[in-house]
Amino acid sequence: MVSNLTLWLVLLVCLRGVGLSQAQVPWQTSLAAFAFIRLATALPLTPGGLGITELGLVGTLAAGGSHRVSAQVTAAVLLY
């Protein structure tokens, strides 16, 4: 549990580090996206090393955002 919490905190720091505010991507959204992707990648059907985690995080965190927010989310996820 500590490992997953630490990984989520690293993701949150990356999101804030690229300039995304709490209003643009709330911590609750980042936690939900992180939990969903961790659960999805735990299934043996998802292949490893193909960027499923990154694609899922960008897709869930940038959903409904502007082009600039999408670019910042992509940068944060790649930094993560």
Side-chain angles (χ1 to χ4, degrees), residues 21-47:
S21 68
Q22 172 69 16
Q24 292 170 311
V25 179
W27 68 266
Q28 298 92 333
T29 303
S30 68
L31 180 59
F34 179 81
F36 174 73
I37 296 304
R38 291 295 288 188
L39 182 62
T41 57
L43 299 172
L45 301 174
T46 58

Side-chain angles (χ1 to χ4, degrees), residues 35-73:
F36 174 73
I37 296 304
R38 291 295 288 188
L39 182 62
T41 57
L43 299 172
L45 301 174
T46 58
L50 292 180
I52 300 296
T53 301
E54 292 81 5
L55 182 62
L57 284 172
V58 170
T60 54
L61 292 173
S66 67
H67 177 67
R68 180 178 172 163
V69 170
S70 298
Q72 286 178 298
V73 166

